[in-house]
Amino acid sequence: MGYETILFDVADGVATLTLNRPEKLNAFNDQMISEALDAFKKAGRDESIRCVVITGAGRAFSSGQDLGDFQSRGEKVSIAEHLRHGYHRLIRQMVALEKPVLGAINGVAAGAGCGVALAADIRLAADGASFMLAFSRIGLIPDSGVNWFLPRLVGYARAYEMAITAERVPASRALEWGMVNRVVPADQLPEIAAAYARQLAGGPTLAFGLTKRAMNRTWDMSLDEALAYEAHLQEVAGRSEDNREGIAAFLEKRPPAFKGN
Ligand code: LHQ
């Protein structure tokens, strides 16, 4: 599939997906959603890809749904159907991908763009970036996973306030609240994100993926269920080549050479 609304670049074990409609602040139209979905599928199938970076071209990460595009479809369109067919598949794909997904949040992440940013596993933000639940400004509720991700990250009161005020939360506050892992100078974000992603791509990818699965699935389990589930996944990780390599490297006092399996 040739892409027109995203860039997809693979190098050094890292796939970088750049949302690329900068004149619309990378608002999502159907084509962009389906191209991003295709790119994440590729990242899942290609074993040489061991980390994915998602970022935006220009001054925004993403302004969410392309409102002009959506309005042009007329009154009869079902938002629920649009969500199920598009954003839900993309967000599930990001969470189901058993490789680290690093959000390099270069600018404003609004509406569904905020949902996509929050679906990444780790977020690095440019110092000028911001998060905005723009939905209530147009009389909608948060969607694209925001109701699930955001209260878990920042707590209910902050999440609800962000939703009903639609205020822009700057990167510094997002850091204080735990929405982002790190804030870096805007002009250094691409290099810092790329270096971090390369480091992650050199890690024990199978264990990173199983950790993602463990943390996502145990969230609403009882402690007993969670202990049983992590023991089951640890059995798998414990049979990996990377586990053998990690132990050997430790005993031989050398850096490990993980292959990802
Ligand atoms: C845009 C957009 C945009 C089109 C900037 N669309 N053109 C799911 C399912 C179905 C229906 C509805 O929604 C959803 C989920 C959602 O995502 S709902 C939330 C949708 N997003 C918004 O409501 C955010 C709309 N954008 C904004 O509020 C502002 O653009 C922000 C605060 C993000 C940035 O403000 P500024 O930095 O002042 O930029 P700007 O507003 O001047 O935008 C630059 C251009 O981008 C401008 O076009 P123009 O031709 O005038 O230069 C905007 O019209 C265009 N643009 N967002 N979502």
Side-chain angles (χ1 to χ4, degrees):
M1 187 176 189
Y3 298 134
E4 290 172 348
T5 62
I6 65 167
L7 306 172
F8 189 66
D9 167 70
V10 181
D12 303 326
V14 176
T16 304
L17 189 170
T18 306
L19 304 170
N20 192 28
R21 303 182 73 220
E23 70 291 348
K24 300 264 186 198
L25 304 188
N26 305 318
F28 282 94
N29 59 10
D30 287 357
Q31 186 180 359
M32 195 160 90
I33 297 174
S34 73
E35 289 184 358
L37 192 56
D38 188 78
F40 271 101
K41 277 190 189 145
K42 250 183 215 153
R45 284 196 290 259
D46 185 340
E47 283 183 14
S48 75
I49 297 174
R50 293 165 64 186
C51 179
V52 178
V53 176
I54 180 164
T55 193
R59 69 183 176 90
F61 175 75
S62 169
S63 59
Q65 172 65 38
D66 186 322
L67 295 174
D69 184 71
F70 197 74
Q71 202 196 28
S72 68
R73 298 167 195 206
E75 292 281 302
K76 287 207 171 136
V77 67
S78 157
I79 296 188
E81 199 44 51
H82 180 66
L83 290 170
R84 282 195 284 267
H85 185 74
Y87 295 103
H88 292 187
R89 291 164 72 205
L90 174 59
I91 281 154
R92 283 208 195 92
Q93 188 83 33
M94 291 173 72
V95 174
L97 181 71
E98 296 207 336
K99 302 172 184 184
V101 177
L102 183 61
I105 314 303
N106 53 302
V108 64
C114 188
V116 171
L118 297 180
D121 300 306
I122 295 170
R123 275 162 295 284
L124 306 184
D127 48 10
S130 59
F131 296 84
M132 178 188 180
L133 302 189
F135 308 89
S136 65
R137 292 206 179 174
I138 54 169
L140 292 180
I141 71 159
D143 62 26
S144 307
V146 168
N147 295 300
W148 197 88
F149 292 116
L150 195 59
R152 282 171 165 77
L153 284 168
V154 305
Y156 169 76
R158 284 169 174 160
Y160 186 63
E161 189 177 38
M162 270 185 79
I164 64 170
T165 63
E167 270 178 21
R168 278 167 92 144
V169 169
S172 55
R173 202 181 317 148
L175 179 66
E176 188 193 318
W177 286 2
M179 283 175 78
V180 302
N181 298 65
R182 210 179 307 161
V183 178
V184 304
D187 59 347
Q188 292 172 33
L189 178 66
E191 291 73 39
I192 292 173
Y196 190 15
R198 276 196 301 273
Q199 184 198 320
L200 294 175
T205 308
L206 177 79
F208 286 174
L210 292 174
T211 305
K212 183 166 169 176
R213 199 195 305 178
M215 290 194 174
N216 277 296
R217 299 256 179 101
T218 57
W219 189 268
D220 49 13
M221 286 183 186
S222 68
L223 176 61
D224 283 347
E225 286 167 337
L227 291 173
Y229 190 62
E230 66 185 21
H232 160 71
L233 295 185
Q234 194 68 294
E235 193 72 37
V236 179
R239 289 188 190 146
S240 66
E241 274 185 38
D242 283 344
N243 175 235
R244 278 197 293 280
E245 166 62 8
I247 293 173
F250 175 77
L251 295 175
E252 291 161 22
K253 299 189 187 301
R254 60 171 174 81
F258 291 125
K259 295 200 181 103
N261 53 18

